[in-house]
Amino acid sequence: MDKKIPVAILGATGSVGQKFIELLKDHPWFEIAALCASERSAGKPYHEAANWFQASELPKHIGEMIVQPCEPSVPGRIVFSGLDSSVAGEIEQAMAKAGKIVVSNSKNHRMHDDVPLLVPEINADHLALLKKQAFGDGMIVTNPNCSTIGLVLALKPLVDAFGVREVSVVTMQALSGAGYPGVASLDIIDNAVPYIGGEEDKIETEPLKIFGDLINDHVEPAVMNISASCNRIAVVDGHMECVSVRLGRQASAKEIIEAWEDYRAEPQEMGLPTAPGRPVHYHREEHYPQPRKHRMLDKGMAVSIGRLRECSILEWKFTLLSHNTIRGAAGGALLNAELMVEMGLV
Ligand code: NAP
């Protein structure tokens, strides 16, 4: 690419917004043209507006950028959104109306009939929905919920090889998933919270759209019974999920592990910059995967799976781990945008 594509980050001061900055600061195709947030932050240099809590250093030139309000006139052909869902709906639509390509992490447009709920390894064909989108000259593409992404990447090789009929999933979700400043320390230290508002419904419904078939520019939802229970735990990054599945046909442990290990898709074939070398890694050590050890595997873009064993209620059970603000948010959104560039949509 001769010239980098200018991009804006909406919600740049938040948990997802900060991860966008980390991943975009040396991106080969995109360059940050604007950092946007609420009126509380607008007008201030970024280093004053944001409480930078990433482990990496905030680049000086980014820290000095002045935060802008989320107005459609902001520079940037692509707009990455990490906005709070209470405001994302209206702002993202205004951006699309003004011709921007909006790639969003917020829930607001995910289940809209004409909006792709995109995981590039799984449903790149759903980008065909953009043809009938009527948000104006621009478009809106969404990322699934951060726990949904790990789950569907682990299920996809099983869906392809054997079919998946029923799924029971119990999550243990990281604190960064609650945004910044998130859960009060006195609520979570020495504790676990067995409730995350709205999360179970998202995990039970979003996979059906993602695995749905594109028929005449419409997504026909997949048939799969999913039950989710979500918990918040005292880990900074990385969502773990204990999953039980009933497959469409009998399979051995060897066949299941092979399906995961052999799995590659368009992002790997295209060599997209943010694509993991392998979307799914299977660990044979019985005490893996673990958040601290495995969340950064393959640039934080791969799902780690372990502990495949028989389940006496459904057929098989296993544990997975994926990085919620990278694969589950900012990294996933970058991969969506890279796929759109590669497909000539930008
Ligand atoms: P967050 O840390 O609370 O950040 C929210 C951002 O929205 C901040 O930059 C905030 O700016 C901005 N904002 C709030 N009110 C605004 C307004 N009225 N106008 C303009 N900007 C406003 O939340 P987050 O965890 O980054 O999540 C962002 C979105 O991504 C949410 O929709 C969330 O559900 C979704 N998501 C999060 C994760 C995750 O792991 N964290 C994963 C997947 C999806 P100020 O600082 O100026 O208030």
Side-chain angles (χ1 to χ4, degrees):
M1 194 168 292
D2 296 343
K3 208 164 171 273
K4 289 192 183 183
I5 299 167
V7 303
I9 303 171
L10 309 182
T13 48
S15 176
V16 172
Q18 295 191 15
K19 201 49 91 178
F20 270 124
I21 292 176
E22 262 196 336
L23 299 179
L24 281 165
K25 65 183 195 302
D26 297 313
H27 194 279
W29 296 1
F30 306 138
E31 68 185 349
I32 300 172
L35 300 175
C36 310
S38 76
E39 295 297 341
R40 293 179 289 277
S41 306
K44 296 180 186 164
Y46 182 80
H47 67 85
E48 262 178 41
N51 186 350
W52 183 257
F53 65 96
Q54 306 303 315
S56 69
E57 194 92 346
L58 174 66
K60 194 162 181 288
H61 69 284
I62 292 178
E64 283 167 0
M65 287 175 76
I66 301 298
V67 177
Q68 304 191 33
C70 297
E71 280 164 8
S73 55
V74 293
R77 171 88 180 104
I78 300 174
V79 166
F80 290 110
S81 172
L83 282 173
D84 190 274
S85 59
S86 61
V87 293
E90 223 172 278
I91 294 174
E92 290 174 3
Q93 287 206 21
M95 293 278 170
K97 203 166 173 199
K100 308 281 190 198
I101 296 166
V102 179
V103 184
S104 175
N105 288 290
S106 303
K107 65 178 182 186
N108 308 61
H109 297 103
R110 283 183 192 149
M111 300 309 279
H112 191 292
D113 279 351
D114 300 342
V115 174
L117 182 54
L118 191 62
V119 181
E121 282 91 345
I122 300 178
N123 60 350
D125 60 322
H126 289 193
L127 283 170
L129 294 178
L130 293 173
K131 280 188 272 182
K132 58 172 193 163
Q133 253 190 28
F135 291 122
D137 293 339
M139 52 184 100
I140 300 177
V141 170
T142 55
N143 243 3
N145 165 271
C146 43
S147 294
T148 303
I149 295 188
L151 180 65
V152 294
L153 280 165
L155 292 180
K156 171 67 173 163
L158 310 186
V159 168
D160 289 352
F162 320 108
V164 172
R165 285 163 46 199
E166 291 181 288
V167 179
S168 169
V169 52
V170 178
T171 69
M172 289 161 278
Q173 300 185 212
L175 289 169
S176 61
Y180 188 83
V183 187
S185 56
L186 285 179
D187 286 335
I188 198 68
I189 293 174
D190 188 29
N191 208 8
V193 180
Y195 175 71
I196 303 177
E199 198 81 352
E200 291 168 359
D201 181 55
K202 292 175 201 163
I203 298 173
E204 290 174 359
T205 54
E206 291 178 8
L208 309 184
K209 180 171 179 183
I210 296 163
F211 289 133
D213 289 324
L214 186 75
I215 299 169
N216 298 329
D217 293 341
H218 162 81
V219 174
E220 196 56 40
V223 178
M224 191 186 286
N225 195 11
I226 305 176
S227 171
S229 302
C230 296
N231 304 283
R232 185 76 68 195
I233 59 163
V235 158
V236 175
D237 289 317
H239 290 350
M240 277 183 89
E241 306 181 30
C242 296
V243 185
S244 298
V245 289
R246 188 187 305 285
L247 301 177
R249 72 162 176 85
Q250 281 206 329
S252 66
K254 182 170 173 287
E255 286 178 299
I256 292 172
I257 292 169
E258 270 171 17
W260 280 324
E261 290 186 331
D262 293 347
Y263 177 48
R264 306 283 185 285
E266 274 106 330
Q268 287 69 44
E269 283 151 21
M270 291 171 171
L272 300 179
T274 304
R278 285 164 50 193
V280 168
H281 293 245
Y282 186 76
H283 302 269
R284 285 174 169 74
E285 295 83 348
E286 64 188 7
H287 49 295
Y288 284 0
Q290 298 178 11
R292 257 200 345 239
K293 280 186 200 278
H294 302 114
R295 61 190 165 209
M296 286 310 294
L297 195 67
D298 239 333
K299 303 172 283 194
M301 288 296 287
V303 175
S304 285
I305 304 178
R307 302 216 63 220
L308 178 69
R309 61 220 191 272
E310 286 181 17
C311 169
S312 59
I313 297 175
L314 299 180
E315 287 163 350
W316 291 99
K317 54 186 175 181
F318 56 88
T319 301
L320 72 84
L321 173 90
S322 72
H323 198 304
N324 54 297
T325 57
I326 302 183
R327 181 76 228 205
L334 286 191
L335 193 60
N336 289 348
E338 291 165 6
L339 177 72
M340 292 168 75
V341 170
E342 191 67 19
M343 290 176 70
L345 292 164
V346 175

